[in-house]
Protein backbone atom coordinates (compact mmCIF):
# COMPACT_ATOMS: atom_id res chain seq x y z
CA UNK A 1 0.00 0.00 0.00
CA UNK A 2 2.91 2.34 0.66
CA UNK A 3 4.04 1.98 -2.95
CA UNK A 4 0.54 2.70 -4.28
CA UNK A 5 0.31 5.83 -2.14
CA UNK A 6 3.74 7.04 -3.25
CA UNK A 7 2.72 6.63 -6.90
CA UNK A 8 -0.62 8.47 -6.67
CA UNK A 9 -0.11 10.91 -3.80
CA UNK A 10 0.29 13.97 -6.07
CA UNK A 11 -2.92 13.06 -7.91
CA UNK A 12 -5.36 12.23 -5.12
CA UNK A 13 -7.17 15.57 -5.39
CA UNK A 14 -7.38 15.34 -9.19
CA UNK A 15 -7.99 11.62 -9.80
CA UNK A 16 -9.39 9.96 -6.67
CA UNK A 17 -11.43 12.58 -4.80
CA UNK A 18 -13.47 13.94 -7.78
CA UNK A 19 -14.97 10.56 -8.65
CA UNK A 20 -15.77 9.87 -4.99
CA UNK A 21 -17.43 13.27 -4.57
CA UNK A 22 -19.52 12.87 -7.73
CA UNK A 23 -20.51 9.38 -6.62
CA UNK A 24 -21.75 10.77 -3.30
CA UNK A 25 -23.67 13.42 -5.25
CA UNK A 26 -25.29 10.61 -7.25
CA UNK A 27 -26.16 8.76 -4.04
CA UNK A 28 -27.68 11.96 -2.65
CA UNK A 29 -29.66 12.70 -5.84
CA UNK A 30 -31.02 9.14 -5.90
CA UNK A 31 -32.22 9.45 -2.30
CA UNK A 32 -29.89 6.75 -1.02
CA UNK A 33 -30.00 5.69 2.62
CA UNK A 34 -27.20 6.26 5.12
CA UNK A 35 -26.62 2.50 5.24
CA UNK A 36 -25.83 2.53 1.51
CA UNK A 37 -23.24 5.30 1.80
CA UNK A 38 -20.40 3.30 3.38
CA UNK A 39 -20.39 0.51 0.75
CA UNK A 40 -20.76 3.19 -1.94
CA UNK A 41 -17.63 4.90 -0.64
CA UNK A 42 -15.79 1.58 -0.44
CA UNK A 43 -16.59 0.70 -4.06
CA UNK A 44 -15.67 4.18 -5.21
CA UNK A 45 -12.41 4.21 -3.30
CA UNK A 46 -11.36 0.87 -4.80
CA UNK A 47 -12.29 1.93 -8.33
CA UNK A 48 -10.67 5.37 -8.28
CA UNK A 49 -7.52 4.19 -6.56
CA UNK A 50 -7.07 1.80 -9.48
CA UNK A 51 -8.07 4.59 -11.91
CA UNK A 52 -5.27 6.78 -10.54
CA UNK A 53 -2.69 4.03 -9.99
CA UNK A 54 -2.87 2.50 -13.48
CA UNK A 55 -2.42 5.89 -15.11
CA UNK A 56 0.20 7.31 -12.75
CA UNK A 57 2.36 4.19 -12.68
CA UNK A 58 2.50 3.89 -16.48
CA UNK A 59 3.19 7.63 -16.72
CA UNK A 60 6.07 7.29 -14.30
CA UNK A 61 7.41 4.19 -16.03
CA UNK A 62 7.71 6.17 -19.26
CA UNK A 63 9.18 9.26 -17.65
CA UNK A 64 11.80 8.19 -15.12
CA UNK A 65 14.51 10.48 -16.49
CA UNK A 66 12.17 13.49 -16.58
CA UNK A 67 11.04 12.75 -13.02
CA UNK A 68 14.65 12.80 -11.84
CA UNK A 69 14.59 16.48 -12.88
CA UNK A 70 11.00 17.54 -12.21
CA UNK A 71 9.85 15.19 -9.44
CA UNK A 72 12.84 13.37 -7.90
CA UNK A 73 10.74 12.20 -4.93
CA UNK A 74 8.66 9.83 -7.10
CA UNK A 75 9.22 6.14 -6.27
CA UNK A 76 10.74 5.09 -9.60
CA UNK A 77 13.00 8.14 -9.77
CA UNK A 78 14.45 7.19 -6.38
CA UNK A 79 14.49 3.46 -7.27
CA UNK A 80 11.99 2.34 -4.66
CA UNK A 81 11.25 -0.62 -6.99
CA UNK A 82 12.84 -1.82 -10.21
CA UNK A 83 11.36 -0.96 -13.60
CA UNK A 84 10.56 -4.64 -14.14
CA UNK A 85 8.80 -4.86 -10.79
CA UNK A 86 6.81 -1.71 -11.54
CA UNK A 87 5.83 -3.09 -14.97
CA UNK A 88 4.53 -6.31 -13.42
CA UNK A 89 2.54 -4.30 -10.88
CA UNK A 90 1.04 -2.23 -13.71
CA UNK A 91 -0.14 -5.29 -15.65
CA UNK A 92 -1.72 -6.74 -12.51
CA UNK A 93 -3.40 -3.40 -11.69
CA UNK A 94 -4.78 -3.01 -15.23
CA UNK A 95 -6.26 -6.51 -15.07
CA UNK A 96 -7.78 -5.87 -11.66
CA UNK A 97 -9.10 -2.47 -12.80
CA UNK A 98 -10.88 -4.13 -15.75
CA UNK A 99 -12.47 -6.73 -13.48
CA UNK A 100 -13.59 -4.11 -10.95
CA UNK A 101 -15.05 -1.95 -13.73
CA UNK A 102 -17.00 -4.97 -15.03
CA UNK A 103 -18.18 -5.84 -11.49
CA UNK A 104 -19.40 -2.29 -10.87
CA UNK A 105 -21.16 -1.97 -14.23
CA UNK A 106 -18.88 0.73 -15.64
CA UNK A 107 -16.72 -1.38 -17.95
CA UNK A 108 -17.08 0.95 -20.96
CA UNK A 109 -15.73 3.92 -18.99
CA UNK A 110 -12.97 1.76 -17.58
CA UNK A 111 -11.92 0.71 -21.08
CA UNK A 112 -12.04 4.34 -22.25
CA UNK A 113 -9.65 5.36 -19.46
CA UNK A 114 -7.36 2.43 -20.20
CA UNK A 115 -7.25 3.47 -23.87
CA UNK A 116 -6.43 7.04 -22.82
CA UNK A 117 -3.72 5.72 -20.49
CA UNK A 118 -2.08 3.70 -23.26
CA UNK A 119 -2.20 6.55 -25.81
CA UNK A 120 -1.09 9.22 -23.34
CA UNK A 121 1.70 7.24 -21.67
CA UNK A 122 2.84 4.12 -23.52
CA UNK A 123 2.41 5.62 -27.02
CA UNK A 124 3.80 8.94 -25.73
CA UNK A 125 0.81 10.98 -26.82
CA UNK A 126 1.56 13.31 -23.90
CA UNK A 127 4.52 14.66 -25.86
CA UNK A 128 2.01 16.52 -28.05
CA UNK A 129 0.04 19.25 -26.29
CA UNK A 130 -3.25 18.61 -28.12
CA UNK A 131 -3.27 14.86 -27.45
CA UNK A 132 -2.30 15.45 -23.83
CA UNK A 133 -5.07 18.02 -23.26
CA UNK A 134 -7.64 15.88 -25.07
CA UNK A 135 -6.62 12.86 -22.99
CA UNK A 136 -7.18 14.79 -19.77
CA UNK A 137 -10.59 16.00 -20.96
CA UNK A 138 -11.65 12.46 -21.86
CA UNK A 139 -10.30 11.27 -18.53
CA UNK A 140 -12.56 13.69 -16.70
CA UNK A 141 -15.57 12.39 -18.62
CA UNK A 142 -14.66 8.74 -17.96
CA UNK A 143 -14.10 9.44 -14.27
CA UNK A 144 -17.36 11.31 -13.72
CA UNK A 145 -19.48 8.89 -15.74
CA UNK A 146 -18.09 5.99 -13.71
CA UNK A 147 -18.38 7.87 -10.42
CA UNK A 148 -22.06 8.61 -10.97
CA UNK A 149 -23.00 5.20 -12.38
CA UNK A 150 -21.34 3.28 -9.55
CA UNK A 151 -23.94 4.90 -7.29
CA UNK A 152 -26.90 5.27 -9.67
CA UNK A 153 -27.60 3.92 -13.16
CA UNK A 154 -29.67 6.98 -14.09
CA UNK A 155 -27.65 10.07 -15.06
CA UNK A 156 -29.81 13.23 -15.00
CA UNK A 157 -29.40 16.07 -17.46
CA UNK A 158 -27.84 18.32 -14.84
CA UNK A 159 -25.07 15.79 -14.17
CA UNK A 160 -24.33 15.49 -17.87
CA UNK A 161 -24.09 19.28 -18.18
CA UNK A 162 -21.53 19.34 -15.37
CA UNK A 163 -19.56 16.53 -17.02
CA UNK A 164 -19.46 18.45 -20.29
CA UNK A 165 -18.52 21.75 -18.66
CA UNK A 166 -15.72 20.24 -16.59
CA UNK A 167 -14.34 18.11 -19.43
CA UNK A 168 -14.11 21.15 -21.72
CA UNK A 169 -12.63 23.35 -18.99
CA UNK A 170 -9.94 20.78 -18.22
CA UNK A 171 -9.11 20.41 -21.92
CA UNK A 172 -8.57 24.17 -22.15
CA UNK A 173 -6.94 24.88 -18.79
CA UNK A 174 -4.83 21.79 -18.04
CA UNK A 175 -1.71 23.50 -19.55
CA UNK A 176 -1.47 24.98 -16.05
CA UNK A 177 -0.05 21.58 -15.12
CA UNK A 178 2.81 21.98 -17.59
CA UNK A 179 4.17 25.24 -16.18
CA UNK A 180 5.74 23.46 -13.20
CA UNK A 181 7.60 20.96 -15.41
CA UNK A 182 9.17 23.23 -18.02
CA UNK A 183 12.82 22.31 -17.39
CA UNK A 184 12.24 18.56 -17.62
CA UNK A 185 9.99 19.00 -20.66
CA UNK A 186 12.68 21.03 -22.46
CA UNK A 187 15.28 18.32 -21.88
CA UNK A 188 12.95 15.55 -23.06
CA UNK A 189 11.74 17.38 -26.17
CA UNK A 190 8.08 17.43 -25.19
CA UNK A 191 5.82 19.78 -27.16
CA UNK A 192 3.57 20.87 -24.31
CA UNK A 193 1.35 23.93 -24.58
CA UNK A 194 3.93 26.33 -23.03
CA UNK A 195 6.68 24.86 -25.22
CA UNK A 196 4.65 25.44 -28.40
CA UNK A 197 2.95 28.76 -27.67
CA UNK A 198 5.42 30.29 -25.23
CA UNK A 199 5.44 30.57 -21.46
CA UNK A 200 4.28 34.20 -21.30
CA UNK A 201 1.47 33.60 -23.80
CA UNK A 202 0.40 30.51 -21.86
CA UNK A 203 0.21 32.45 -18.60
CA UNK A 204 -1.88 35.16 -20.25
CA UNK A 205 -4.17 32.58 -21.85
CA UNK A 206 -4.67 30.82 -18.52
CA UNK A 207 -5.21 34.09 -16.66
CA UNK A 208 -7.99 35.04 -19.06
CA UNK A 209 -9.30 31.48 -19.00
CA UNK A 210 -9.70 31.32 -15.24
CA UNK A 211 -11.41 34.72 -15.14
CA UNK A 212 -13.77 33.48 -17.86
CA UNK A 213 -14.35 30.27 -15.91
CA UNK A 214 -15.48 32.27 -12.87
CA UNK A 215 -18.04 34.05 -15.04
CA UNK A 216 -19.19 30.98 -16.96
CA UNK A 217 -19.51 28.87 -13.83
CA UNK A 218 -21.88 31.49 -12.42
CA UNK A 219 -23.86 32.09 -15.62
CA UNK A 220 -24.11 28.51 -16.88
CA UNK A 221 -23.62 26.02 -14.07
CA UNK A 222 -24.76 27.62 -10.83
CA UNK A 223 -28.13 28.38 -12.43
CA UNK A 224 -28.94 24.82 -13.46
CA UNK A 225 -31.75 24.98 -10.94
CA UNK A 226 -33.50 27.16 -13.51
CA UNK A 227 -34.26 29.94 -11.04
CA UNK A 228 -32.91 33.50 -10.81
CA UNK A 229 -29.93 33.82 -8.47
CA UNK A 230 -32.04 36.10 -6.30
CA UNK A 231 -34.18 33.05 -5.50
CA UNK A 232 -31.25 30.66 -5.05
CA UNK A 233 -30.67 28.89 -1.75
CA UNK A 234 -27.93 30.13 0.61
CA UNK A 235 -25.95 26.96 -0.16
CA UNK A 236 -25.91 27.73 -3.90
CA UNK A 237 -24.80 31.32 -3.22
CA UNK A 238 -21.97 30.11 -0.98
CA UNK A 239 -20.69 27.66 -3.58
CA UNK A 240 -21.04 30.30 -6.30
CA UNK A 241 -18.94 32.76 -4.30
CA UNK A 242 -16.29 30.18 -3.35
CA UNK A 243 -15.89 28.95 -6.92
CA UNK A 244 -15.61 32.49 -8.27
CA UNK A 245 -13.08 33.45 -5.61
CA UNK A 246 -10.95 30.36 -6.27
CA UNK A 247 -11.00 30.90 -10.05
CA UNK A 248 -9.93 34.53 -9.69
CA UNK A 249 -7.23 33.58 -7.18
CA UNK A 250 -5.81 31.02 -9.63
CA UNK A 251 -5.86 33.65 -12.41
CA UNK A 252 -3.86 36.04 -10.22
CA UNK A 253 -1.41 33.34 -9.15
CA UNK A 254 -0.67 32.11 -12.65
CA UNK A 255 0.09 35.66 -13.77
CA UNK A 256 2.22 36.70 -10.79
CA UNK A 257 3.85 33.56 -9.32
CA UNK A 258 6.35 32.00 -11.72
CA UNK A 259 8.62 29.65 -9.80
CA UNK A 260 8.04 25.88 -10.33
CA UNK A 261 7.05 25.28 -6.70
CA UNK A 262 4.57 28.17 -6.97
CA UNK A 263 3.16 26.78 -10.22
CA UNK A 264 2.68 23.44 -8.46
CA UNK A 265 0.68 25.11 -5.69
CA UNK A 266 -1.39 26.98 -8.28
CA UNK A 267 -2.16 23.72 -10.06
CA UNK A 268 -3.15 22.11 -6.76
CA UNK A 269 -5.55 25.02 -6.17
CA UNK A 270 -7.11 24.17 -9.54
CA UNK A 271 -7.66 20.58 -8.41
CA UNK A 272 -9.32 21.93 -5.25
CA UNK A 273 -11.57 24.11 -7.42
CA UNK A 274 -12.48 20.98 -9.38
CA UNK A 275 -13.46 19.10 -6.21
CA UNK A 276 -15.41 22.13 -4.95
CA UNK A 277 -17.30 22.36 -8.24
CA UNK A 278 -18.31 18.71 -7.93
CA UNK A 279 -19.34 19.20 -4.31
CA UNK A 280 -21.65 22.02 -5.44
CA UNK A 281 -23.70 19.48 -7.38
CA UNK A 282 -25.11 18.31 -4.02
CA UNK A 283 -27.22 21.49 -3.90
CA UNK A 284 -27.77 22.02 -7.64
CA UNK A 285 -28.62 18.66 -9.21
Amino acid sequence: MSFIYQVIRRDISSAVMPGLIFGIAAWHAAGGSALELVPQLGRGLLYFTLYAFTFCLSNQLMGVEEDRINKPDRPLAREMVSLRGASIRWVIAMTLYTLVGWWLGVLEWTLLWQAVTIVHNLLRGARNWFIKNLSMGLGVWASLEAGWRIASPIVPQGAREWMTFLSVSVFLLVPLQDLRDIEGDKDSGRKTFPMVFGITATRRFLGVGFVAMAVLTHLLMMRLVGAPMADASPQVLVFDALLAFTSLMIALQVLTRHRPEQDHKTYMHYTYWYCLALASTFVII
Side-chain angles (χ1 to χ4, degrees):
M1 292 302 292
S2 174
F3 177 70
I4 293 174
Y5 173 74
Q6 290 298 322
V7 169
I8 71 172
R9 67 184 184 86
R10 288 173 175 263
D11 299 280
I12 290 173
S13 60
S14 62
V16 179
M17 293 304 299
L20 286 176
I21 293 170
F22 209 47
I24 298 171
W27 164 83
H28 180 265
S33 69
L35 291 176
E36 294 171 335
L37 181 58
V38 173
Q40 157 65 24
L41 286 172
R43 292 190 296 268
L45 183 60
L46 172 62
Y47 182 85
F48 288 107
T49 298
L50 289 168
Y51 171 96
F53 183 69
T54 53
F55 181 87
C56 293
L57 183 55
S58 61
N59 180 260
Q60 292 170 36
L61 274 165
M62 302 302 293
V64 176
E65 295 305 318
E66 295 168 46
D67 284 343
R68 289 192 173 119
I69 299 171
N70 292 330
K71 305 177 183 76
D73 60 328
R74 280 182 163 177
L76 299 187
R78 57 190 173 93
E79 300 181 353
M80 184 176 176
V81 299
S82 68
L83 296 182
R84 182 174 183 274
S87 298
I88 292 172
R89 286 170 171 82
W90 182 73
V91 171
I92 293 171
M94 285 286 276
T95 303
L96 182 59
Y97 182 42
T98 304
L99 294 173
V100 170
W102 170 77
W103 170 53
L104 296 176
V106 291
L107 180 59
E108 63 270 43
W109 307 109
T110 304
L111 295 176
L112 173 60
W113 183 235
Q114 289 175 319
V116 167
T117 296
I118 291 169
V119 171
H120 184 278
N121 296 334
L122 275 63
L123 300 182
R124 297 188 179 275
R127 300 178 70 84
N128 176 280
W129 73 268
F130 182 81
I131 295 176
K132 179 177 182 178
N133 292 12
L134 180 62
S135 296
M136 295 301 96
L138 289 173
V140 167
W141 191 280
S143 168
L144 298 183
E145 278 277 5
W148 190 280
R149 289 178 182 276
I150 288 171
S152 172
I154 300 174
V155 183
Q157 182 62 27
R160 291 212 177 278
E161 290 175 356
W162 270 104
M163 291 179 201
T164 303
F165 178 75
L166 291 172
S167 296
V168 173
S169 71
V170 167
F171 169 76
L172 294 173
L173 300 176
V174 78
L176 176 62
Q177 185 184 63
D178 300 319
L179 290 173
R180 61 187 181 176
D181 297 330
I182 286 172
E183 291 306 315
D185 291 341
K186 280 182 181 178
D187 291 344
S188 67
R190 282 176 180 258
K191 301 298 182 182
T192 62
F193 195 97
M195 296 292 96
V196 173
F197 297 101
I199 297 170
T200 299
T202 298
R203 291 190 182 278
R204 291 173 179 171
F205 170 77
L206 292 171
V208 172
F210 279 103
V211 171
M213 190 168 69
V215 175
L216 292 173
T217 302
H218 168 74
L219 293 178
L220 299 180
M221 307 313 299
M222 302 307 292
R223 300 179 69 170
L224 279 175
V225 288
M229 290 303 289
D231 299 330
S233 69
Q235 295 94 324
V236 171
L237 295 176
V238 168
F239 274 111
D240 195 23
L242 287 174
L243 287 168
F245 173 80
T246 307
S247 293
L248 296 175
M249 178 185 70
I250 294 170
L252 179 63
Q253 288 175 331
V254 78
L255 292 171
T256 61
R257 304 176 68 188
H258 297 171
R259 294 199 303 271
E261 64 272 18
Q262 293 174 327
D263 285 323
H264 174 68
K265 290 181 180 178
T266 302
Y267 171 70
M268 294 306 295
H269 291 158
Y270 180 34
T271 68
Y272 303 151
W273 178 93
Y274 180 40
C275 290
L276 183 64
L278 291 170
S280 74
T281 61
F282 281 72
V283 298
I284 296 172
I285 298 176

